[in-house]
Amino acid sequence: MGIFSIANQHIRFAVKLACAVVLALFVGFHFQLETPRWAVLTAAIVAAGPAFAAGGEPYAGAIRYRGMLRIVGTFIGCIAALTIIITMIRAPLLMLLVCSIWAGFCTWVSSLVRVENSYAWGLSGYTALIIVVTIQTEPLLTPQFAVERCSEIVLGIICAIVADLLFSPRSIKKEIDNELDAMLIDQYRLMQLCIKHGDSDEMDRAWLALGRRTAALEGMRSNLNMESSRWARANRRLKALNTVSLTMITQACETFIMQNSRPEIVTDAYRELFAEPVETVQDVHRQLKRMRRVLAWTGEHDTPVTIYSWVGAATRYLLLKRGVIGNAKISAREEEILQSEVVVRPDSAERHHAMINFWRTTVSCALGILFWLWTGWTSGSGAMVMIAVVTSLAMRLPNPRMVAIDFLYGTIAALPIGAFYFLVIIPATQQSMLLLCISLAVMCFFIGIEVQKRRLGSLGALASTINILVLDNPMTFHFSLFLDSALGQIVGCFMAFIVILLIRDNSRLRTGRVLLNQFVFAAVSAMTTNMARRKENHLPGLYQQLFLLLNKFPGDIAKFRLALTLIIAHQRLRDAPIPINDDLSEFHRQLRRTADRVISASSDDKRRYYFTRLLDELEVYQHKLRAWAAPAQVTEPVERLVLMLHKYQGALTSS
C-alpha cells in the first residue's frame, strides 16, 4: 500500500479523529479557554493512540479506557506538581531536579504494572514537569494552571468519546463471541495433538498460539468492561474463562509430557475417544457429551488425571461461553465457578529493568534542565518537556529505542506540516472558525489514515504538529517563536534518544533467571497445607510470566518448555492431597523461605548455595512424605519436581 493510498476500512476512524479534534477546538474557543491546544492534543492522542496500537479502527472501550487512564494520570501529576511547588518554591533548581526524580519514579512504577495501566503513571510523571516548567516564573498561578490543565484534558477526552459515539462506535462484543468459539475448537485440536503424541514442535506452536490468544482475550475483556455497564456479567465470566482456558492448555501439555516417560498411560481407547475431527462448536459439544458418558462409566480413578481434568475444564468453558454470548443472568452453577478461586498476581520479575528505566528518565530530565539553564535558550523548557514525554512513554514498552525514533521522526515531519499551517493556512482562516476547523480536520484525516497503517512517525507527527501550532486564544503569529519551539521539540527527542542509547538495558538475562526461579518458587509453594493458600489461583500470573519470558527470549524453546513444565508441576502439586500436620507445614514454610532466597540472591555463588540447600531440603521433605504415608498422587509429582530441578540446576542458577 502506497504512502498516499487510502483504504476503505481506514476512512471511518479518520473521520472520527478529525471530528474529535475539531470538536475540542470549537468547544475550547467557545468557552474561551486560554490554551485550547491541550484539549485538542488530548482528543487527538486519546483517539489515535489505540488506533496505532491496534493497526486499525480501535474499539470504543479502548478509547474510553485510554481516556480514563489519562484523567487519572493528569490528576496524579497535578497533585504532585502542587506538592513539589509548595514545598520547594524558594529553591527553583532543586524543585526542577525533584520533578526529574518524580518523573523517574513514575517510570519505575509504570515498568512494574500492566502495560495498559502503565500509561497513567507515565503521564503523571511528565504532567508534573510540564506544570512546574510552565509556571516557574509565576508559581502563585500553579493552582489555576493545574485546574485549567485538568479541565482541558477532561474536555479533550469527552470530545474523543463523543466523536466515537457519533460515528458508530465499534463494539468488541461480537469479536469476543467469535473468538470464544474459535478458541474452544482449537483447544480440542490441541488436546487431540497431545493425545496422539505427535511432533513436539507442532505442539509448541499450538499451545503458544492458544496461550497468546487467551492473553489477548483478557485484553479484550478490559475494553468490553469500559463499553457499557450492561456487560458486567459477561466481564465476570470472561475473567473466569481466562483461567479455564489456561487450565485446558496446561492439562493438554501435561498429557503430552507424561507420554514421554510413560506412553502406556494413554491407552488406545482414549486415543480413539479424541480421534474424530471437529469443525464447529457443535461438534466439540457433541464430543464432550460422549466423553462425559465414557468417563462416568470408567470412573475418575481409572482415567488419566489430565484427561479427566481437561474434560471438566472444557465443560466449564462451554457453560461460561454460553453465558458470555447470551449475557444472561448468572446461574447458581456459574456463581460457584466464579467464586471458587481468588486470582493472585505474581511479583514483578523486572525490578532491575524498572530501575534502569528510572535512571534513564531521571538522568535525561536532569540533563535537559541543566542544558536549559546553561544555555538560557527560550525553548529549552520545551526540549526538556519532550525529553520527559519521550522517556516516560517509551520506557513502558518493550522496545523504547524504536519509540524514541518514532517520536524523533514525527517531530521532524511536524516541522514542514506545522510551518505550512502556521504561515499559510491558519492566518488565512482567522476570520472564519469554520475554515479553521475544516483545515485542521483535513490534516487530522490524512494523518489518521497513516496512524492506522502504523506508519513510523505518524503518531508523533500528529501530536507534535498540534503542539507546535500553539492553538491559543487569541492566536499570535511570530515565526521565530514557532521555529524555536519546533527545534526545541526535535532537540528534546534527540537528547532522549541519545540517553536511551547510552544507558544500556542489561537486565535481560537477570530477568530471565528471576522468572525461571519464580516458576520454581510457585511449584514449591503449591505444596502448602494452608487451605486458604491452596484456593489461590496463580495460573494467569504464571502464564503472564511465561509470555514475558517469551518476549525476552524469542525462539528459546528450551526455556519455554522448562517454564511450562514447572507450571504443570505447580498445578499438579496444588491439587495433590498432601497430609495436613504441623511437621509438614513447618518444613514447607522452610522450603518457601529457601526458594525465595534463590530469587533474591545477589550473586551466582549465593544463588547456587541456596539452590543446593533447596534440593537438600526437598530430599528431606520426600522422606517426611513417605514417613507420613502420603499417597502416590503426592510423592510422584514431588519426585518429578526434584528430578527436574537437578537436571536444570545450571540454567536456574547461572547468569
Side-chain angles (χ1 to χ4, degrees):
M1 186 177 290
I3 190 169
F4 298 112
S5 59
I6 299 176
N8 291 332
Q9 66 267 26
H10 295 151
I11 291 178
R12 188 167 68 171
F13 172 74
V15 172
K16 285 183 183 180
L17 177 62
C19 178
V21 168
V22 167
L23 186 61
L25 180 69
F26 180 82
V27 174
F29 274 96
H30 178 74
F31 288 104
Q32 297 184 355
L33 299 179
E34 189 174 345
T35 53
R37 79 172 184 276
W38 289 117
V40 175
L41 186 61
T42 298
I45 292 175
V46 167
F52 186 85
E57 183 183 3
Y59 296 105
I63 294 175
R64 294 168 198 181
Y65 190 48
R66 192 174 183 91
M68 180 198 69
L69 292 175
R70 195 167 182 87
I71 290 174
V72 171
T74 301
F75 272 93
I76 294 173
C78 288
I79 294 169
L82 286 169
T83 305
I84 292 170
I85 291 169
I86 291 169
T87 54
M88 302 176 190
I89 194 169
R90 297 182 182 276
L93 179 59
L94 180 62
M95 182 171 64
L96 289 168
L97 291 175
V98 169
C99 267
S100 300
I101 296 172
W102 166 255
F105 169 77
C106 291
T107 304
W108 177 78
V109 175
S110 72
S111 302
L112 299 176
V113 302
R114 286 175 53 194
V115 172
E116 297 88 347
N117 298 336
S118 66
Y119 179 68
W121 281 104
L123 191 75
S124 66
Y126 69 76
T127 296
L129 198 62
I130 290 172
I131 293 174
V132 171
V133 169
T134 305
I135 54 81
Q136 191 192 15
T137 56
E138 298 178 286
L140 295 177
L141 297 178
T142 302
Q144 178 185 342
F145 186 82
V147 170
E148 287 178 354
R149 178 153 172 78
C150 287
S151 60
E152 289 159 0
I153 294 292
V154 172
L155 174 62
I157 292 165
I158 292 172
C159 290
I161 294 172
V162 169
D164 184 59
L165 291 171
L166 288 175
F167 296 94
S168 307
R170 188 184 177 201
S171 176
I172 202 170
K173 179 63 168 56
K174 187 173 178 58
E175 188 79 18
I176 288 175
D177 294 346
N178 294 334
E179 183 64 5
L180 286 174
D181 287 343
M183 278 178 59
L184 181 59
I185 296 169
D186 287 342
Q187 288 278 13
Y188 187 90
R189 289 171 177 170
L190 173 63
M191 191 61 175
Q192 280 183 316
L193 185 64
C194 293
I195 289 280
K196 290 178 184 176
H197 201 248
D199 183 50
S200 61
D201 291 335
E202 186 180 357
M203 192 272 292
D204 284 332
R205 287 193 296 270
W207 77 258
L208 277 173
L210 264 175
R212 288 185 180 280
R213 289 169 68 181
T214 303
L217 189 66
E218 180 66 7
M220 292 180 181
R221 182 186 68 80
S222 301
N223 290 337
L224 182 68
N225 196 33
M226 292 298 298
E227 271 190 23
S228 173
S229 59
R230 74 176 185 272
W231 302 128
R233 292 190 293 262
N235 177 65
R236 289 189 66 198
R237 289 175 171 122
L238 284 169
K239 201 169 183 177
L241 269 168
N242 182 49
T243 296
V244 174
S245 179
L246 295 174
T247 301
M248 293 172 71
I249 295 171
T250 306
Q251 300 299 345
C253 292
E254 187 176 2
T255 304
F256 184 92
I257 292 171
M258 283 169 48
Q259 295 181 84
N260 290 337
S261 57
R262 298 167 61 193
E264 74 282 354
I265 198 167
V266 179
T267 63
D268 291 338
Y270 290 110
R271 289 194 174 89
E272 186 179 343
L273 193 62
F274 283 87
E276 188 175 333
V278 295
E279 298 296 335
T280 64
V281 174
Q282 288 73 27
D283 293 341
V284 178
H285 192 193
R286 188 166 53 253
Q287 287 294 96
L288 285 174
K289 287 176 66 176
R290 177 183 166 217
M291 288 174 190
R292 286 194 295 269
R293 286 196 299 269
V294 172
L295 295 182
W297 180 69
T298 58
E300 180 180 354
H301 297 291
D302 297 323
T303 305
V305 63
T306 55
I307 295 177
Y308 193 89
S309 300
W310 187 92
V311 173
T315 304
R316 295 194 298 275
Y317 188 104
L318 267 174
L319 178 65
L320 293 170
K321 180 186 74 71
R322 282 198 294 265
V324 171
I325 293 174
N327 199 31
K329 184 180 178 181
I330 296 175
S331 65
R333 174 62 181 133
E334 286 180 300
E335 190 64 42
E336 185 182 340
I337 297 171
L338 297 177
Q339 295 186 358
S340 59
E341 295 175 330
V342 178
V343 177
V344 177
R345 286 178 57 91
D347 294 332
S348 176
E350 295 193 283
R351 296 187 181 278
H352 185 61
H353 169 71
M355 187 54 63
I356 290 173
N357 288 343
F358 165 82
W359 285 114
R360 279 176 163 177
T361 302
T362 303
V363 170
S364 60
C365 291
L367 288 175
I369 290 167
L370 295 175
F371 173 77
W372 174 34
L373 298 177
W374 177 59
T375 60
W377 184 23
T378 54
S379 288
S381 60
M384 190 187 74
V385 169
M386 284 305 298
I387 291 172
V389 170
V390 173
T391 52
S392 298
L393 297 182
M395 294 304 107
R396 68 189 187 93
L397 298 173
N399 193 345
R401 188 173 66 88
M402 286 305 299
V403 177
I405 292 173
D406 183 79
F407 269 97
L408 184 59
Y409 282 6
T411 52
I412 294 172
L415 182 57
I417 298 172
F420 176 70
Y421 267 78
F422 189 83
L423 296 175
V424 179
I425 301 295
I426 296 180
T429 58
Q430 281 294 285
Q431 303 305 315
S432 173
M433 187 66 186
L434 177 62
L435 291 177
L436 177 62
C437 290
I438 291 173
S439 62
L440 283 176
V442 170
M443 177 192 70
C444 293
F445 177 86
F446 285 104
I447 296 181
I449 298 289
E450 297 305 303
V451 165
Q452 293 176 89
K453 299 176 186 176
R454 307 185 82 174
R455 193 84 66 189
L456 188 65
S458 56
L459 188 60
L462 176 65
S464 296
T465 302
I466 293 173
N467 197 32
I468 64 175
L469 287 178
V470 192
L471 298 168
D472 291 340
N473 191 15
M475 291 282 296
T476 55
F477 299 94
H478 301 291
F479 182 69
S480 60
L481 295 177
F482 164 82
L483 188 61
D484 207 35
S485 175
L487 291 176
Q489 287 194 122
I490 295 172
V491 170
C493 291
F494 181 75
M495 289 180 68
F497 176 66
I498 294 299
V499 170
I500 291 172
L501 289 181
L502 292 177
I503 303 179
R504 303 180 67 84
D505 188 354
N506 58 356
S507 64
R508 176 174 169 269
L509 292 176
R510 183 179 297 191
T511 302
R513 189 188 61 248
V514 170
L515 282 169
L516 289 175
N517 283 311
Q518 283 183 339
F519 289 121
V520 175
F521 179 82
V524 172
S525 298
M527 295 184 286
T528 181
T529 54
N530 186 315
M531 297 310 296
R533 281 187 174 170
R534 292 186 77 82
K535 289 182 178 181
E536 292 176 347
N537 179 13
H538 294 266
L539 199 58
L542 290 172
Y543 271 92
Q544 182 183 335
Q545 291 174 308
L546 179 64
F547 291 118
L548 176 58
L549 192 69
L550 184 67
N551 291 332
K552 294 287 182 181
F553 301 91
D556 195 341
I557 296 296
K559 275 189 171 62
F560 309 143
R561 286 175 177 166
L562 173 59
L564 180 63
T565 308
L566 288 167
I567 291 174
I568 291 170
H570 168 272
Q571 285 297 97
R572 186 59 49 231
L573 289 165
R574 180 174 175 263
D575 298 330
I578 298 172
I580 300 175
N581 58 67
D582 292 339
D583 183 27
L584 287 177
S585 297
E586 180 60 34
F587 199 83
H588 179 259
R589 284 193 285 272
Q590 177 59 42
L591 285 172
R592 281 174 56 93
R593 285 193 292 269
T594 306
D596 187 55
R597 286 174 179 172
V598 173
I599 298 173
S600 59
S602 56
S603 66
D604 286 352
D605 290 337
K606 285 185 178 180
R607 192 174 305 106
R608 280 191 285 268
Y609 167 76
Y610 285 117
F611 197 90
T612 304
R613 179 170 151 182
L614 177 64
L615 292 175
D616 293 339
E617 289 175 356
L618 282 169
E619 293 290 344
V620 176
Y621 188 73
Q622 289 187 90
H623 289 301
K624 286 181 176 292
L625 288 174
R626 286 192 286 271
W628 288 103
Q633 298 100 303
V634 179
T635 56
E636 288 181 2
V638 173
E639 185 181 355
R640 286 198 296 271
L641 175 63
V642 173
L643 290 173
M644 190 194 317
L645 297 182
H646 275 288
K647 181 179 179 181
Y648 296 102
Q649 185 173 354
L652 294 166
T653 57
S654 301
S655 297

